Amino acid sequence: TVVKKAETAIKKATAKTEIHVQYAGKDVNLEDIKAGAVAASGKKNATKVELYIKPEENKAYYVINGDITGSVWI
């Protein structure tokens, strides 16, 4: 049925995704970087997290809720 096909499409679209950054023999999970950035920001209720990953610097720069900035080592 159409409803069943729509439900299946929604389930596929919301599948859990893991993103890894691999460089120089390292493998870093994006969720770990995000968690580290939120913790470093001191913001308990982050509604928006922007990450800028710079493997050549071994850092991820973050912007939390559009106004809190900083960086974490990866």
Side-chain angles (χ1 to χ4, degrees):
T1 68
V2 173
V3 172
K4 194 68 157 170
K5 287 181 182 178
E7 288 174 348
T8 302
I10 290 170
K11 285 180 185 177
K12 286 181 182 178
T14 59
K16 182 179 179 185
T17 302
E18 283 190 32
I19 299 173
H20 293 257
V21 178
Q22 296 181 328
Y23 65 99
K26 295 181 181 183
D27 183 296
V28 184
N29 183 300
L30 184 60
E31 286 301 316
D32 293 341
I33 297 171
K34 178 182 168 185
V38 171
S41 75
K43 190 74 174 174
K44 293 182 181 178
N45 297 321
T47 57
K48 182 177 180 183
V49 179
E50 297 174 65
L51 295 173
Y52 302 88
I53 300 168
K54 299 204 57 179
E56 67 275 12
E57 295 179 14
N58 279 331
K59 284 192 167 189
Y61 295 88
Y62 60 81
V63 179
I64 308 292
N65 296 345
D67 62 351
I68 301 170
T69 62
S71 65
V72 291
W73 293 101
I74 56 172

